[in-house]
Amino acid sequence: ALAVNISDIAATGGNPTYCLVTLGLSKDKETSLVDELYEGLKEAASLGSVGIVGGDLVYSPVFFITISLLGQARREEIVLRSGAQKGDLIYVTGELGTAAAGLVCLGRSSLSVGQSVREPLIRKHLKPFPRLREGREIARRRIASAMIDVSDGLASDLTRLGKESGKGAVVWEEKLPVAPPTRTLARTLKESFLEWVLYGGEDYELLFTVPPAKREFVEEELDLSCSMIGEVVGKKEGISIINKRGTRTRIEREGYDHFLRKNDRSI
């Protein structure tokens, strides 16, 4: 809960500062749950030197946790979603589709894959790691024209960035960074990892656009693990993906939507 909030601030190039925690607890909840929960919160807070300064505790028949996180940034370094320009290159940190593959592993205990495949995928799903250092570096160096974190799937978050910037985008399938365990699981299930990449969500990587003149700097001098996956195009071209054969397909549906009914979800 705290890590994903830190990721939102990382996506602007900011620094998280203080958070408030609200817990909804029923009478039969063990106090050990709260103790262990706060151990986890302190661990996540240490990633960004976040101070847990208060909050609220209320009765609820179902358990819930709500985080309110504050942050700050230099005005001249803030990266918004609205600055992408036609011709800009699209980059993403880390790997995509891993968390969605981890959710598949959690839901299918009888999968015929080894622990070396299951464990990193499940860990990625259960313990998201916000790219705070990377976000700060991108902002400090003033590299990105626009940035967002990948929380609801590449299709959804790239669409959001495109709408805010008034642009479209082309993604090259063969350039998408996909971890070997994710590929192994997809082969085992005879499924496409592309579904997890585009629509799975929960990766919390940074998706950012870069002017072509800064490409060499990003790839040769910047201390980031990132991959160039596409290019910003005109608004009328929409969001599309090009496969290895050169076939271009428009991405019409987006990723995870919190307000859809269960039976209407993309995956």
Side-chain angles (χ1 to χ4, degrees):
L2 178 53
V4 301
N5 277 273
I6 292 175
S7 182
D8 279 330
I9 289 182
T12 68
N15 296 295
T17 53
Y18 304 104
C19 78
L20 303 174
V21 181
T22 297
L23 294 180
L25 299 169
S26 62
K27 294 178 180 179
D28 60 350
K29 287 295 182 186
E30 298 288 340
T31 56
S32 61
L33 169 67
V34 179
D35 292 337
E36 292 171 5
L37 179 63
Y38 269 85
E39 285 300 316
L41 283 168
K42 287 191 290 183
E43 180 184 345
S46 69
L47 298 175
S49 301
V50 175
I52 303 173
V53 296
D56 198 9
L57 185 66
V58 299
Y59 169 77
S60 172
V62 294
F63 169 76
F64 71 81
I65 177 172
T66 299
I67 302 287
S68 297
L69 179 64
L70 300 177
Q72 60 185 16
R74 294 180 181 274
R75 184 181 299 274
E76 66 273 15
E77 293 180 359
I78 295 174
V79 187
L80 304 178
R81 302 175 182 182
S82 55
Q85 300 297 317
K86 185 176 179 180
D88 283 358
L89 303 172
I90 302 170
Y91 286 82
V92 68
T93 61
E95 295 161 329
L96 299 175
T98 317
L103 181 60
V104 171
C105 290
L106 286 169
R108 305 187 196 182
S109 58
S110 60
L111 281 174
S112 57
V113 293
Q115 287 300 105
S116 62
V117 172
R118 292 176 60 90
E119 286 183 1
L121 299 179
I122 290 174
R123 184 168 59 249
K124 176 71 172 180
H125 182 80
L126 294 180
K127 297 191 73 173
F129 190 88
R131 297 290 187 173
L132 190 57
R133 180 190 70 82
E134 291 86 343
R136 286 171 173 165
E137 184 73 358
I138 290 168
R140 185 177 69 84
R141 300 291 191 106
R142 302 186 188 183
I143 294 162
S145 53
M147 184 159 62
I148 189 173
D149 69 335
V150 183
S151 57
D152 296 326
L154 179 62
S156 181
D157 294 308
L158 185 55
T159 297
R160 289 187 180 118
L161 189 148
K163 285 180 178 178
E164 290 291 330
S165 295
K167 300 293 185 292
V170 173
V171 172
W172 307 310
E173 182 181 338
E174 61 181 3
K175 297 291 186 180
L176 292 171
V178 180
T182 305
R183 294 178 184 272
T184 299
L185 182 64
R187 285 196 300 269
T188 301
L189 297 177
K190 294 182 173 57
E191 295 183 11
S192 171
F193 61 75
L194 194 59
E195 188 80 4
W196 301 333
V197 169
L198 292 176
Y199 308 113
E202 306 291 347
D203 285 313
Y204 297 102
E205 298 293 348
L206 295 179
L207 177 70
F208 59 103
T209 57
V210 174
K214 297 183 179 181
R215 175 179 178 177
E216 183 176 345
F217 180 83
V218 171
E219 298 180 0
E220 297 183 10
E221 298 186 39
L222 196 62
D223 183 24
L224 292 183
S225 173
C226 61
S227 305
M228 184 176 67
I229 63 169
E231 182 179 0
V232 177
V233 296
K235 180 179 181 180
K236 291 182 179 180
E237 296 183 59
I239 308 295
S240 59
I241 186 166
I242 297 177
N243 64 19
K244 295 179 180 179
R245 297 183 297 276
T247 303
R248 182 167 175 169
T249 304
R250 187 113 172 206
I251 298 175
E252 299 293 351
R253 67 187 179 100
E254 299 178 17
Y256 186 84
D257 186 330
H258 299 269
F259 298 100
L260 286 178
R261 296 189 302 272
K262 183 176 181 180
N263 293 336
D264 293 338
R265 296 207 185 280
S266 296
I267 61 170

